[in-house]
């Protein structure tokens, strides 16, 4: 199935299983910033043991593979598991929502956007910027992650909650990356200052 259909099918599987979720990663940074190709989806899930079987059954009904033991291990360890679509080879990474204060705040701020004609729960623009800067830092300075954050900032800056970003940039230890992003941002249309 095409990428768009796969995303909608996975979102429906999550909803059918009663699992709260949040789409994040490059697909959402493309929604808020500059579109770019991506070959997988990143979804944060608030998955409890009581919903594990329901999610496993919902995903099994699709044309793909999710290892039930891998799901149990991800739930136990607070890590992630994959679903792979047989027809396209596309991968969905399911990340467990952990007790991390930033991740909890990010999940609480998720919003509904229309994506490929469907209502989908996604991370906020502020949290995409912070998450991309955090991933850039963790991966040794990934320019791709940094540029994704930069483009979201450039497109969304007029509506961003900058106090929220400032607070979490400090708490996450990415103040220098946040400062660099603001320095490198293209001027607003009409030459207005940043």
């Amino acid at each position: 199935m095409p990428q768009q259909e796969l995303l909608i099918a996975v979102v429906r599987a999550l909803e059918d299983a009663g699992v709260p979720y949040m789409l994040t990663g490059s697909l959402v940074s493309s929604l808020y910033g500059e579109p770019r190709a991506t070959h997988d989806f990143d979804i944060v899930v608030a998955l409890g043991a009581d919903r594990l079987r329901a999610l496993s059954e919902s995903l099994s009904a699709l044309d793909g593979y999710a290892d039930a033991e891998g799901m149990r291990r991800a739930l136990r360890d607070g890590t992630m598991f994959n679903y792979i679509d047989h027809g396209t080879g596309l991968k969905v990474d399911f990340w467990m929502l952990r007790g991390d204060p930033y991740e909890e705040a990010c999940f609480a701020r998720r919003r509904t956007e229309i994506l490929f004609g469907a209502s989908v729960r996604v991370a906020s623009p502020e949290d995409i910027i912070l998450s991309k800067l955090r991933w850039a830092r963790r991966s040794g300075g990934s320019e791709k992650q940094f540029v994704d954050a930069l483009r979201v900032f450039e497109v969304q800056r007029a509506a961003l909650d900058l106090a929220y970003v400032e607070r979490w940039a400090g708490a996450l230890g990415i103040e220098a990356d946040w400062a660099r992003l603001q320095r490198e941002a293209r001027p607003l249309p009409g030459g207005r200052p940043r």
Side-chain angles (χ1 to χ4, degrees):
M1 79 179 63
Q3 189 179 36
Q4 298 91 333
E5 290 179 25
L6 174 61
L7 174 63
I8 293 167
V10 167
V11 164
R12 286 192 182 124
L14 287 162
E15 291 171 348
D16 289 348
V19 176
Y21 72 93
M22 176 182 68
L23 185 65
T24 189
S26 297
L27 186 63
V28 181
S29 68
S30 292
L31 172 71
Y32 293 136
E34 182 175 78
R36 77 168 171 89
T38 183
H39 300 291
D40 63 0
F41 303 122
D42 294 299
I43 301 177
V44 176
V45 292
L47 181 62
D50 60 327
R51 306 300 329 145
L52 184 64
R53 182 182 176 115
L55 180 57
S56 180
E57 289 172 357
S58 289
L59 290 175
S60 295
L62 305 177
D63 184 28
Y65 176 74
D67 177 47
E69 179 54 35
M71 293 174 73
R72 284 190 288 278
R73 192 171 37 254
L75 179 61
R76 181 190 69 225
D77 299 341
T79 55
M80 55 89 67
F81 71 92
N82 307 113
Y83 169 83
I84 299 173
D85 181 62
H86 289 311
T88 62
L90 292 171
K91 183 175 63 133
V92 181
D93 293 330
F94 290 93
W95 300 87
M96 298 299 120
L97 180 64
R98 300 170 302 189
D100 173 282
Y102 170 66
E103 290 180 11
E104 293 285 346
C106 177
F107 199 78
R109 296 179 81 245
R110 70 195 192 280
R111 56 178 61 177
T112 302
E113 297 284 350
I114 302 300
L115 197 56
F116 307 129
S119 294
V120 179
R121 301 290 282 167
V122 301
S124 72
E126 294 88 353
D127 290 309
I128 289 296
I129 291 169
L130 290 163
S131 296
K132 287 286 185 174
L133 291 177
R134 194 178 192 192
W135 274 108
R137 172 64 53 142
R138 287 179 174 173
S139 64
S142 167
E143 278 301 300
K144 186 189 314 185
Q145 299 291 337
F146 179 82
V147 170
D148 282 349
L150 177 63
R151 297 300 177 246
V152 172
F153 176 76
E154 290 172 341
V155 172
Q156 302 292 328
R157 82 177 100 196
L160 291 174
D161 180 346
L162 295 178
Y164 174 86
V165 178
E166 293 279 343
R167 184 175 77 246
W168 280 109
L172 296 170
I174 54 173
E175 308 98 317
D177 305 285
W178 170 236
R180 175 188 166 206
L181 181 145
Q182 293 176 87
R183 284 192 312 273
E184 293 185 15
R186 294 179 285 212
L188 290 169
R192 293 179 301 182
R194 294 179 208 140

